[in-house]
Amino acid sequence: MDDLIDTKRGLQSASMFIDPHLYEVEMEKIFGRCWLFLTHESAIPNYGDFVTAKMGEDEVLVVRQEDGTVKAFLNVCRHRGARVCPVEAGNRRAFVCNYHGWSYAADGSLAAIPFEKELYGGKIDRCAHGLKEVAKVDSYRGFLFGNFDPGAISLEDYLGDVRWYLDIWMEASGGVELIGPPARSIVHCNWKAPTENFVGDAYHIGWTHASSLAASRSIFAPMSGNQMLPPAGAGAQIATRFGHGLGILYDVNPGVHTAQTAEKILAWQATKKDKIAEKYGELKARFYGSHLNGSLFPNVSYLWGTNTLKIWQPRGPSETEVWTWAMAEKDMPEDLKRDIYNGLHGGFGTAGYWEADDNDNMESASLLPTGWQSRKLRLNAQMGIGNDTVMDEMPGVIGQAAIGETSYRGYYRFYDEILKLPSWDAFDLNDEGWKQQLIDADR
Ligand code: UNU
Ligand code: FES
Ligand code: FE
């Protein structure tokens, strides 16, 4: 596995998209230990409210408790392992398994067994058969995450430097809401292919999305067919400690939206910018009005400006279930939220034209390495390598160009680190060496 990721040179082995053994290791070392997105607080406001979610290939029930906290449990009956709750969202005081009728309370405890006395004669330990609880659940600005590892670092520490950027849209904007339930569909790709695309690929916009850009007459339309490069100083890419990264395209927040919707969003944001600048500073106000594309390690992606949040659920090395939420500023008027919802699902939803543009790229990049020779190739993420730097006003490691692969390198740097990490106990939160690793990288 040692030649899998070459951080020093910005290369990755194509086998990472196909190797079934590596996939198992990812499930254990990444999905078993990292903070995984579950849902937004607003989806489960009241006692007994629940949604089902995926953590890796494990399905979990996320339930609002009587005391207002949130717990998550494997959605697996402790009797014979059937799915406890077959519904994706609702409100329940008890979850009754469909198979033999064991029932569980909202706190996961095994509340009742049909004919317990008659059939088990006191010989079953009910306390030992509650739903298996996810070790940690925590929320950041309303976004709920779970972690299977009781020894994991806190969610706040894990988000680390990227919080400064998340706060632009999660806080300075006045807060966002996810408009769900999410659309779900299958893409025949490795889960990392779309995650790396969203972490930092502004390169493909003008080419892969050429027709969509032209047809929508969006703000990005001049890039259609690679007719032009975004001018110098048009954006930046950011890499952080835990692989979370993003790209910024300055001052073009609704760049993907159709011309009509973009106009409404620009007008709306203009009414808020001065207040945001006053409270959070000019830089954050500028980024609020910029387009941010990003991924949180390992498998959440968002497009601020395109109003979408996605999670790429692994289903084996070559299959991914994508869940897509529309996302809007909480204080937006209802009709604008509706425009955004419709526009988003038409663009980046299951059958959206932007989504369709991307899918064949995701699939071919993921499936061609089944070829014994193809999988030996190294994938190249060297764009801008050697120019990465740190800046006073922006946390993380920065690549100062609209198009580059700094955040790809940051994503796979941490991917490599966590695969090799024996346990969170062995992890040094204060080690800043990762920055130098990226800055020193060179072809
Ligand atoms: O999908 C992306 N990676 C993206 C979309 C990046 C920038 C703008 C829009
Ligand atoms: Fe980038 Fe082919 S040009 S994958
Ligand atoms: Fe794309």
Side-chain angles (χ1 to χ4, degrees):
M1 229 162 58
D2 254 4
D3 54 355
L4 185 70
I5 305 296
D6 185 344
T7 298
K8 177 109 198 51
R9 298 170 62 210
L11 304 173
Q12 302 81 35
S13 166
S15 66
M16 71 170 177
F17 285 151
I18 202 77
D19 181 349
H21 169 68
L22 176 64
Y23 179 82
E24 293 297 312
V25 176
E26 289 174 345
M27 291 304 111
E28 182 193 350
K29 306 278 189 199
I30 296 176
F31 288 85
R33 305 195 294 188
C34 289
W35 285 94
L36 307 172
F37 177 65
L38 298 172
T39 187
H40 193 267
E41 297 260 15
S42 59
I44 48 169
N46 303 311
Y47 174 38
D49 285 349
F50 72 93
V51 295
T52 53
K54 293 293 283 291
M55 296 175 66
E57 292 203 54
D58 291 298
E59 188 169 293
V60 296
L61 259 172
V62 186
V63 192
R64 178 71 66 177
Q65 303 296 299
E66 198 165 12
D67 67 1
T69 61
V70 174
K71 287 183 191 286
F73 314 97
L74 292 186
N75 191 14
V76 179
C77 183
R78 297 300 305 280
H79 178 221
R80 298 306 304 162
R83 176 181 271 123
V84 173
C85 179
V87 192
E88 67 190 73
N91 180 286
R92 299 251 169 106
R93 284 293 180 275
F95 298 93
V96 184
C97 178
N98 191 59
Y99 198 172
H100 308 90
W102 284 26
S103 73
Y104 302 87
D107 67 358
S109 58
L110 178 55
I113 298 177
F115 304 114
E116 181 177 350
K117 239 191 242 125
E118 296 88 332
L119 299 176
Y120 287 94
K123 290 201 175 108
I124 184 147
D125 182 356
R126 243 205 271 156
C127 296
H129 290 82
L131 294 177
K132 171 76 182 159
E133 190 171 341
V134 175
K136 293 182 163 198
V137 173
D138 202 355
S139 106
Y140 186 73
R141 306 227 183 271
F143 288 74
L144 282 157
F145 293 79
N147 196 313
F148 284 122
D149 186 349
I153 60 172
S154 72
L155 174 62
E156 224 179 69
D157 284 340
Y158 177 79
L159 292 173
D161 275 350
V162 91
R163 283 179 296 156
W164 189 89
Y165 299 95
L166 294 179
D167 285 350
I168 293 158
W169 51 280
M170 289 186 178
E171 186 198 24
S173 71
V176 294
E177 62 182 38
L178 291 185
I179 314 176
R184 305 176 177 202
S185 54
I186 300 285
V187 188
H188 297 279
C189 70
N190 184 272
W191 62 274
K192 296 187 294 303
T195 310
E196 67 162 44
N197 173 274
F198 277 71
V199 88
D201 195 332
Y203 193 24
H204 81 297
I205 304 295
W207 194 248
T208 289
H209 297 296
S211 307
S212 297
L213 287 170
S216 61
R217 285 176 293 116
S218 82
I219 296 174
F220 293 157
M223 289 161 69
S224 174
N226 279 351
Q227 288 178 72
M228 64 162 278
L229 192 65
Q237 322 125 52
I238 290 100
T240 69
R241 175 83 175 89
F242 296 93
H244 322 307
L246 66 151
I248 309 182
L249 299 169
Y250 297 138
D251 312 319
V252 284
N253 175 275
V256 171
H257 282 290
T258 59
Q260 301 97 298
T261 304
E263 206 175 300
K264 291 187 205 170
I265 292 173
L266 287 172
W268 166 255
Q269 291 198 328
T271 66
K272 285 171 74 173
K273 261 194 195 158
D274 287 350
K275 274 211 191 100
I276 293 174
E278 239 169 71
K279 197 160 167 202
Y280 299 95
E282 292 291 343
L283 193 59
K284 278 198 170 170
R286 183 178 192 198
F287 288 0
Y288 160 76
S290 298
H291 189 279
L292 314 184
N293 61 276
S295 293
L296 301 178
F297 191 91
N299 68 333
V300 189
S301 295
Y302 57 88
L303 297 175
W304 172 247
T306 309
N307 303 86
T308 183
L309 186 109
K310 284 173 175 283
I311 176 155
W312 312 100
Q313 323 270 19
R315 292 165 56 103
S318 313
E319 192 170 292
T320 296
E321 185 172 338
V322 47
W323 294 14
T324 303
W325 286 263
M327 183 163 77
E329 293 169 48
K330 267 187 210 154
D331 51 5
M332 278 176 163
E334 284 306 313
D335 64 319
L336 185 50
K337 284 183 187 171
R338 189 162 309 116
D339 279 356
I340 281 173
Y341 181 84
N342 291 335
L344 178 271
H345 283 291
F348 272 106
T350 297
Y353 59 118
W354 278 71
E355 185 86 347
D357 292 341
D358 285 315
N359 284 351
D360 188 67
N361 294 330
M362 300 303 111
E363 296 188 3
S364 66
S366 302
L367 299 176
L368 292 178
T370 47
W372 192 251
Q373 306 305 325
S374 302
R375 98 181 49 158
K376 291 190 273 192
L377 296 173
R378 323 232 98 210
L379 305 177
N380 185 302
Q382 294 181 324
M383 197 191 297
I385 201 166
N387 296 330
D388 293 340
T389 174
V390 289
M391 289 170 77
D392 286 341
E393 63 277 23
M394 286 159 64
V397 166
I398 318 288
Q400 293 189 71
I403 301 184
E405 286 162 349
T406 303
S407 40
Y408 272 63
R409 294 190 287 276
Y411 181 85
Y412 285 111
R413 192 212 62 79
F414 182 68
Y415 174 84
D416 187 43
E417 182 178 5
I418 186 125
L419 286 183
K420 291 173 178 159
L421 183 74
S423 81
W424 280 116
D425 288 338
F427 187 83
D428 181 1
L429 250 184
N430 299 316
D431 185 356
E432 295 273 289
W434 69 276
K435 289 187 179 169
Q436 213 53 48
Q437 265 183 292
L438 292 177
I439 292 167
D440 289 346
D442 203 351
R443 305 188 291 289

